[in-house]
Amino acid sequence: MTVFIIAAIILVAATTLALTRPLWHGARSWALAALVIVPATTGGLYLGVGTPAALDPQQVVPAATDATGAAELSIDQALTALRSRLHQQPDDLEGWLLLGRTLRFQQDFPGARDAFMRAFALAPESADVMVEAAEAMVMASERPLIEGEPLAMIQRALAIDPDQQRGLLLLGAHHIQAGRAEAGLVHWQRLLELAPPESLPSLRQRIDEVRAEAGLPALPPTAAETTEARSLTIELDISPALAETTADLPSSAQVFVLARRIDGAGPPLAAKRLPLGPFPRTIVLGDGDNPMATGSLFEQPRIRLIARISRRGGANAEPGDLEGSLEIPAEAGTRIALTIDRVIE
């Protein structure tokens, strides 16, 4: 299932640049900005509407297997099976969404529009479905402009969910198409607060290009970008051998993530205390997490990262706690993988 979702996101993103270029009418940043945002929002749509398992081709039709037992199912076979299923189950929202996305990838825009409109009829109050249906209507139009009914649907979707990223992208593009760059940039700049950190540099570049074309100065860094620049992003996980033991931890258990000097001297350079939760998880650790405010985490050439699950919730390590550590260069803006992989004796 996960592989299928990732593949679908990649396919949609790879075609977005070509498919949306006519919408831009001279402002070349539109298609590139769509490429930045679409992967994140599409994944959210796959996972956010109904039952994700229903989108798995192997759930739609039993797959043939090759000599190694691997599943083989062509897009055409999957489409045939999916259409058959939708004929029998016309109220299958997830099925109509999958059909629309597949036809959009195949550049059958009228077919994609019809599928998304069927989904919209089943979920008329879903901002996500509303935006996809509106976008499909634009793609299928002889004049691919964001206006009329698609524009009204996008505006309604944003009234329901003001943070709907695809809607903000499209509404911004509508204003820029119409020569109202400043109005469009309001929506695109809002995306700087919503998009995932890895998308910010590309998104900012597209926005600055449009601002330059409109005679506007480049934006100053946002709070999120400043924080990202002066922090470490830690992808924290737990080893399979220890993962099973977390179910037996008491309710008092807490997760501590620390950055210390290599020699261990002095208080932590940065520290966070978090409730025990699922793994893997992403944790941002930076200068704002210095408990003593004694200087920057990044003044040290190298630091030791420590992640510990404390059974009793105490800050000091005790026998039976679970821990992992890693020595790294103290470079702001980096992303580090850290695994809790041992029991303190």
Side-chain angles (χ1 to χ4, degrees):
M1 176 60 192
T2 301
V3 173
F4 177 74
I5 292 173
I6 293 172
I9 292 171
I10 292 172
L11 292 175
V12 172
T15 56
T16 298
L17 180 62
L19 304 187
T20 57
R21 190 175 300 279
L23 299 176
W24 189 237
H25 280 260
R28 62 184 179 276
S29 305
W30 148 251
L32 294 174
L35 189 60
V36 170
I37 299 301
V38 165
T41 55
T42 304
L45 291 171
Y46 270 99
L47 294 171
V49 181
T51 306
L55 302 183
D56 191 335
Q58 296 186 43
Q59 300 291 335
V60 175
V61 63
T65 58
D66 61 17
T68 66
E72 292 183 339
L73 189 65
S74 71
I75 291 180
D76 288 341
Q77 288 174 319
L79 276 175
T80 299
L82 181 57
R83 285 190 168 106
S84 175
R85 171 175 166 167
L86 289 170
H87 180 73
Q88 298 172 6
Q89 302 178 34
D91 293 338
D92 183 352
L93 172 61
E94 294 89 349
W96 288 114
L97 290 172
L98 178 56
L99 179 61
R101 290 164 185 149
T102 305
L103 294 176
R104 180 175 59 195
F105 165 67
Q106 293 187 321
Q107 301 188 33
D108 179 359
F109 302 130
R113 174 201 58 206
D114 294 345
F116 281 124
M117 291 306 292
R118 290 293 297 267
F120 177 51
L122 294 171
E125 299 303 318
S126 168
D128 292 340
V129 175
M130 202 177 300
V131 169
E132 283 215 271
E135 184 182 30
M137 292 174 68
V138 173
M139 292 295 184
S141 172
E142 293 182 0
R143 297 180 66 252
L145 298 175
I146 304 171
E147 59 185 13
E149 185 179 0
L151 175 60
M153 291 171 67
I154 292 166
Q155 291 171 327
R156 182 182 167 203
L158 288 170
I160 295 171
D161 179 5
D163 293 340
Q164 215 289 338
Q165 294 184 34
R166 202 182 195 110
L168 289 169
L169 179 72
L170 293 168
L171 186 56
H174 158 72
H175 286 296
I176 296 171
Q177 282 178 344
R180 299 186 296 271
E182 291 191 50
L185 285 167
V186 169
H187 301 291
W188 280 18
Q189 287 162 200
R190 169 69 177 138
L191 288 171
L192 288 174
E193 304 172 19
L194 302 173
E198 60 270 19
S199 297
L200 292 179
S202 297
L203 177 58
R204 166 174 281 281
Q205 179 182 344
R206 311 311 169 212
I207 289 173
D208 283 344
E209 287 177 1
V210 177
R211 291 181 66 88
E213 291 173 1
L216 300 171
L219 286 177
T222 65
E225 290 172 310
T226 301
T227 299
E228 177 76 9
R230 299 298 300 167
S231 63
L232 299 169
T233 300
I234 302 167
E235 302 293 347
L236 182 61
D237 206 348
I238 188 168
S239 69
L242 295 182
E244 297 179 0
T245 68
T246 59
D248 299 325
L249 291 173
S251 59
S252 59
Q254 297 281 303
V255 177
F256 290 85
V257 181
L258 316 171
R260 286 190 171 276
R261 293 175 175 83
I262 293 297
D263 61 9
L269 300 168
K272 275 190 173 177
R273 176 178 176 172
L274 305 163
L276 183 64
F279 292 94
R281 60 199 298 184
T282 301
I283 298 167
V284 176
L285 197 67
D287 287 342
D289 301 307
N290 186 327
M292 306 298 290
T294 54
S296 173
L297 166 66
F298 304 104
E299 292 174 353
Q300 306 294 316
R302 296 182 68 82
I303 57 174
R304 183 176 300 280
L305 289 179
I306 302 168
R308 184 174 67 255
I309 299 177
S310 170
R311 291 178 175 273
R312 298 204 302 174
N316 296 323
E318 297 181 355
D321 288 350
L322 311 180
E323 189 175 76
S325 63
L326 186 66
E327 183 179 322
I328 62 167
E331 297 176 356
T334 57
R335 185 175 292 266
I336 306 296
L338 177 59
T339 301
I340 297 173
D341 57 5
R342 64 180 178 273
V343 180
I344 297 177
E345 300 294 339

